[in-house]
Amino acid sequence: MNRLAGMSRSATPLVLHADRLLPADPGVLEIARRLYAAVRELPIISPHGHVDPGVLLHDTPFSDPAALFVTPDHYVTRLLHASGVQLSELGVGQGPLDPSAAREVWRRLCSHWHVFRGTPVRYWLESELAEIFGITVRPSAATADQIYDQIADRLTRAEFLPRALFEQFRIQVLATTDDPTDDLTIHRALADDPTWSGRVVPTFRPDRYLEVGSPTWQEDVGRLGSVAGADTTGFAGWVEAMESRRAYFKTHGAVSSDHSHEDVRTDPLEPADAERIYRDAVAGLAAPRDAVALRRHMLLEMARMATEDGLTMTLHPGVRRGHHTPTLRALGPDTGHDIPLRGDFTDPLRPLLERFGTHPNLRLVLFTLDETVFSRELAPLAGFYPSVYVGAPWWFLDAPEAVRRWRSAVTESAGFTKTSGFIDDTRAFCSIPARHDMARRLDSGYLAQLVAERRLDEDEAHEAAVDLVTRQPAEVFAL
C-alpha cells in the first residue's frame, strides 16, 4: 500500500486545540482569545538563535525529516537519550545520514513519542507537524513511516524550501550566533542577493576568546589577532582585536554580543595585573585562579565596549558545559548534556553596573537557568538600572509553567517594559514559529488574568501584548 495514499485507520488523530495553553476559566479565556487574536499573525523577531544562515543563502531542500526535526536538536535528542536511546542511534555527530539511517532515526522518535508528554518539546513538534506539514495522526511506531513519507514528499516542493518557509513563518529579523573570527561571507552574500528580502544579522559570540584557562585559548587568541590585524601578544592588543572585530560585525548588521560563562563576576583588575596575567597566559603559564580573574576583567571590558559601539550585551551564565565527559569527547559540544548551575547576579555584576549601569548607551539583557533569581535578583536589578532587561526564559525554562512563573515574578518588580521579548534560542528552523506562538499564547493568558481581576483595562492589555511581540525586542536589540 502506498503510504501517502492514507494514514492507518487505527492511528490516533493529531488535532491541535485552538485554545491550547490559554486559560481554562471561561471568562478569562474569552479575554485571552481576543488578546491572542491581536498577536497571532504578527511578524516574528528572533534576536538570538543558532540557525545556520547558509540554509537560507543556498536555499537547498532539507534532506529528510530526521535531519530537520531530530538529529541537530538537543532538546529532542537528550530526552530520547535519557530514555535509553543512544545518541549514535539518532545520528548525532555523524553528518548527513543515508536514507535508511534517517528513516530509522525517525522511527526511534515516533516509537518514543510518549517520553515527550507534558514537555514543551511535544508542543513544538506537534505544532510543526500539524501546522507546517499537515500531519493528521499522532506519531507512533505504527505511523512513523507514513509520517516520514508525507514530510519527505513535502520537502521536495518549492513551498517548503528554506526561503519560502522563512516567508511563511513571517520572520522579520533572524539573528545567528557567530565566532568573532568569522568573515561573515554568508551574511554579506545574503545582504547583497537581489532575490532575497529577509533580514538575517550576525551576533558576536566571543566566549572562547575570554576563557583564558581553555587548552585552546593561546591558539584561539592568536587567530583572533591575525584576523583583526592586531598584536595580541599583549593585553592592549587583545582589547584592540576585540574592538576591531566588534566593529566589523556591526558594519555587517550585528546588533548584539552574546556571552555565556560559568559566572558573571566582573571584578576589575589593575592595569598592571591584567597585563601580567595576560602575558603569562600567552606563555601558557597563567595559574587557574588568575585565568578566571582575567576572564572576569575581560567581561567588564566587553561592557565598556558596548557603551561605545552600542551592541546590546546579553549574558546567559550558569551552565556546566559538557557534563558527561565521555559523550563530549566522542560527539563534541551541544549534544544535550549541558546542565544548569545556581545563579548569582547581584554582587557579581555590581562592578559592571556601578561603572556602566546608568550609561545611556548600554543595554544589558540578563538570562538565567535558575528561576530562584527571577524575583530575588533579576527583576530588582532591572527595576532600578535603566540599562538592565530581564531575558525571557530559555533552554530548560522555556516551558509553559516556567514562563508563567517568570512573567509573574518579573512583572511585579520590573513591569513588562524591562523584559527582552521572546527569545527562541533554537537550532531547529521549523520550531521558530511554534516557540513564538507558545510565548504569545502564554502572555495573552497572563494579561487576560490581569484584566479579569480588574488590574488592567483590556485596551492596555491589548497594547502590552502587541508591544511584547514587536516594540520590546526591537527596542532592547536596537532593531
Side-chain angles (χ1 to χ4, degrees), residues 157-178:
R157 304 179 187 182
E159 61 267 32
F160 290 89
L161 289 172
R163 291 190 179 190
L165 290 174
F166 188 96
E167 295 294 329
Q168 177 186 320
F169 297 164
R170 299 182 302 279
I171 298 175
Q172 187 175 75
V173 181
L174 178 68
T176 62
T177 301
D178 308 274

Side-chain angles (χ1 to χ4, degrees), residues 291-343:
V292 171
L294 185 56
R295 184 255 290 166
R296 291 169 173 170
H297 179 76
M298 288 176 170
L299 192 60
L300 182 63
E301 279 287 302
M302 285 291 166
R304 189 266 305 165
M305 294 178 200
T307 66
E308 297 173 0
D309 61 27
L311 293 181
T312 296
M313 186 176 188
T314 66
L315 302 180
H316 50 94
V319 183
R320 178 71 68 225
R321 304 276 179 177
H323 193 270
H324 188 243
T325 304
T327 298
L328 178 65
R329 288 172 177 166
L331 301 176
D334 301 318
T335 46
H337 50 105
D338 296 340
I339 308 297
L341 299 166
R342 284 187 292 271

Side-chain angles (χ1 to χ4, degrees), residues 31-79:
I31 302 170
R33 283 172 172 166
R34 293 193 291 270
L35 297 177
Y36 174 61
V39 298
R40 178 175 182 174
E41 302 297 328
L42 290 178
I44 288 173
I45 296 176
S46 177
H48 174 75
H50 302 276
V51 170
D52 176 6
V55 168
L56 295 167
L57 175 63
H58 303 301
D59 200 31
T60 54
F62 293 106
S63 60
D64 59 75
L68 186 60
F69 286 94
V70 184
T71 302
D73 192 344
H74 59 72
Y75 287 87
V76 175
T77 59
R78 68 184 303 273
L79 275 174

Side-chain angles (χ1 to χ4, degrees), residues 413-445:
S413 294
F416 292 104
T417 63
K418 295 309 300 288
T419 57
S420 66
F422 183 67
I423 304 292
D424 56 68
D425 185 45
T426 186
R427 290 173 170 79
F429 180 61
C430 286
S431 76
I432 292 175
R435 292 168 187 257
H436 284 263
D437 180 72
M438 182 187 77
R440 294 175 188 193
R441 289 174 180 272
L442 293 169
D443 281 338
S444 296

Side-chain angles (χ1 to χ4, degrees), residues 144-223:
D145 284 334
Q146 298 171 327
I147 296 173
Y148 185 97
D149 287 339
Q150 181 171 329
I151 297 172
D153 175 69
R154 298 291 196 278
L155 293 178
T156 64
R157 304 179 187 182
E159 61 267 32
F160 290 89
L161 289 172
R163 291 190 179 190
L165 290 174
F166 188 96
E167 295 294 329
Q168 177 186 320
F169 297 164
R170 299 182 302 279
I171 298 175
Q172 187 175 75
V173 181
L174 178 68
T176 62
T177 301
D178 308 274
D179 189 279
T181 63
D182 194 320
D183 62 9
L184 303 180
T185 299
I186 293 176
H187 291 83
R188 288 203 311 274
L190 273 173
D192 294 339
D193 187 343
T195 67
W196 170 251
S197 59
R199 185 178 180 187
V200 179
V201 300
T203 298
F204 188 80
R205 180 70 178 267
D207 293 356
R208 66 190 304 168
Y209 304 95
L210 273 67
E211 290 292 351
V212 182
S214 165
T216 66
W217 181 80
Q218 292 164 278
E219 177 184 349
D220 292 337
V221 81
R223 183 174 64 257

